[in-house]
């Protein structure tokens, strides 16, 4: 089972890096160490969709993010995410989201998914710090969730049993799917550590790299939706900055000490910029 899981992680990571390029049978077999027929079967069983459907979904979802967060033309977006022409892009986009790319571009606010987990209302405008972060290799485990705090907590309890080196290890959460545009309930969240496990070999990948708008959330993770509400309802749609389609990343600081000696959790929310 663990071999199958690591195989799926490798394939997902590869497709995410190369979603806009044709992926050959040989590449999939080399990465997964399975025959093409077997890796397709394992992937469909584990992820609920075929590899081809997964890659197509990444194309249109990354296009959706570019429409929402950049000023690029629809033709440029179509080519950048791997479609041969605007016609094939428009057809795939409308099949997936039920709206044409042109209509989406004309009314960005309507792109916000009706089933998103956060309400788009807030009177508070947050001001982030703009920072540059170097690429970082991390070791990770994933869970499919609807940004459910209990499921994420269970993942972290399991993840931390891997016994990472202390001190020195940094911990991150990668929100692999954009919560504003996700069309399915099950999304993917990755628990990540900057150092390898002392107990078993975990899959690894590179995160960060580039400019980020860094927001600060203080308090428990149970209330982090409130901070996301302020970011999405006021800052993202009104900012003059352009945003990258790469995932939002959370960096978890252990505690932030108060003057009275009490401690509370501190989380950095890192929104990628172009």
């Amino acid at each position: 089972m663990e071999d199958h899981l690591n195989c799926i992680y490798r394939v997902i990571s590869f497709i995410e890096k190369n979603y806009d390029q044709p992926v050959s049978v040989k590449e999939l077999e080399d990465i997964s160490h399975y025959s093409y027929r077997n890796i397709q079967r394992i992937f469909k069983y584990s992820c609920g969709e075929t590899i081809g459907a997964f890659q197509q979904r990444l194309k249109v979802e990354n296009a959706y993010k570019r429409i929402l967060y950049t000023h690029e033309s629809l033709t440029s977006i179509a080519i950048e995410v791997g479609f041969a022409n605007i016609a094939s892009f428009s057809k795939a986009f409308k099949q997936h989201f039920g709206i044409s790319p042109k209509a989406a571009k004309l009314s960005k606010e309507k792109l916000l998914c009706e089933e998103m987990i956060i309400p788009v209302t807030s009177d508070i405008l947050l001001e982030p710090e703009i920072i540059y972060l170097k690429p970082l290799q991390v070791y990770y485990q994933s869970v499919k969730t609807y940004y459910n705090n209990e499921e994420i907590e269970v993942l972290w309890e399991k993840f931390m049993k891997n016994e990472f080196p202390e001190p020195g290890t940094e911990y991150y959460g990668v929100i692999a799917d954009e919560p504003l545009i996700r069309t399915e309930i099950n999304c993917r969240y990755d628990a990540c550590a900057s150092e390898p496990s002392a107990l078993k070999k975990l899959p690894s990948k590179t995160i960060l790299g580039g400019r980020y708008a860094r927001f600060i959330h203080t308090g428990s993770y149970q209330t982090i939706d409130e901070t996301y509400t302020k970011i999405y309802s006021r800052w993202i749609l009104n900012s003059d900055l352009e945003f990258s389609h790469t995932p939002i990343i959370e960096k978890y600081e252990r505690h932030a000490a108060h003057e009275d000696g009490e401690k509370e959790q501190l989380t950095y929310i890192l929104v990628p910029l172009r």
Side-chain angles (χ1 to χ4, degrees):
M1 178 62 72
E2 186 171 320
D3 288 341
H4 285 182
L5 187 59
N6 286 335
C7 162
I8 294 302
Y9 281 152
R10 289 195 299 269
V11 172
I12 287 175
S13 180
F14 179 78
I15 298 294
E16 285 180 335
K17 291 178 182 176
N18 301 279
Y19 74 89
D20 57 341
Q21 303 292 328
V23 175
S24 70
V25 170
K26 185 178 185 305
E27 285 176 315
L28 289 173
E29 290 182 337
D30 288 346
I31 287 168
S32 67
H33 307 307
Y34 284 93
S35 69
Y36 181 69
R37 180 178 179 181
N38 279 336
I39 184 53
Q40 284 280 21
R41 176 178 57 81
I42 295 168
F43 192 95
K44 177 68 180 296
Y45 175 80
S46 302
C47 301
E49 61 186 334
T50 66
I51 293 174
F54 175 59
Q55 185 175 17
Q56 181 83 331
R57 177 166 63 78
L58 289 182
K59 287 182 179 182
V60 294
E61 288 185 353
N62 278 289
Y64 209 138
K65 293 178 187 180
R66 284 176 163 89
I67 292 173
L68 181 61
Y69 296 145
T70 76
H71 303 297
E72 296 177 76
S73 69
L74 294 179
T75 300
S76 295
I77 291 173
I79 294 172
E80 285 179 5
V81 300
F83 287 96
N85 52 58
I86 189 69
S88 59
F89 166 56
S90 296
K91 181 178 179 180
F93 190 95
K94 190 167 186 178
Q95 284 178 340
H96 196 74
F97 294 113
I99 184 175
S100 71
K102 183 176 181 181
K105 189 175 179 64
L106 289 174
S107 184
K108 288 188 176 184
E109 285 76 8
K110 291 183 180 180
L111 291 179
L112 305 182
C113 178
E114 292 180 358
E115 296 180 358
M116 62 187 292
I117 61 167
I118 52 178
V120 190
T121 56
S122 176
D123 295 328
I124 301 174
L125 178 62
L126 299 182
E127 288 297 337
E129 178 183 5
I130 307 301
I131 60 175
Y132 180 87
L133 297 172
K134 294 180 179 179
L136 176 68
Q137 184 179 32
V138 294
Y139 304 85
Y140 69 100
Q141 288 180 305
S142 302
V143 67
K144 293 182 72 174
T145 178
Y146 188 42
Y147 299 100
N148 181 293
N149 290 328
E150 291 183 3
E151 292 175 348
I152 291 175
E153 286 179 4
V154 170
L155 172 64
W156 274 102
E157 288 175 5
K158 178 182 177 182
F159 188 64
M160 294 305 293
K161 292 179 181 178
N162 290 298
E163 296 185 8
F164 299 101
E166 296 293 351
T169 301
E170 297 178 337
Y171 297 98
Y172 299 85
V174 177
I175 301 174
D177 301 295
E178 170 56 65
L180 291 186
I181 65 171
R182 188 66 171 142
T183 58
E184 299 170 309
I185 289 179
N186 287 329
C187 303
R188 203 176 83 249
Y189 171 94
D190 300 334
C192 308
S194 62
E195 300 295 332
S197 165
L199 294 182
K200 69 177 181 179
K201 186 176 181 180
L202 294 171
S204 65
K205 64 179 178 180
T206 300
I207 64 171
L208 302 177
R211 284 200 314 152
Y212 288 81
R214 184 173 72 179
F215 297 87
I216 296 176
H217 169 72
T218 56
S220 75
Y221 196 80
Q222 301 293 328
T223 61
I224 200 167
D225 285 355
E226 298 172 11
T227 301
Y228 274 110
T229 297
K230 297 168 187 174
I231 295 171
Y232 279 109
S233 64
R234 291 290 306 277
W235 186 77
I236 279 185
L237 294 179
N238 293 290
S239 175
D240 292 330
L241 297 170
E242 287 200 11
F243 306 95
S244 171
H245 66 284
T246 55
I248 290 174
I249 296 174
E250 296 173 353
K251 181 181 180 183
Y252 307 113
E253 298 292 329
R254 288 291 178 137
H255 290 98
H258 286 179
E259 293 180 359
D260 59 8
E262 293 185 1
K263 296 180 179 180
E264 64 178 16
Q265 293 170 305
L266 175 67
T267 302
Y268 291 120
I269 298 173
L270 304 168
V271 179
L273 304 175
R274 287 169 62 89

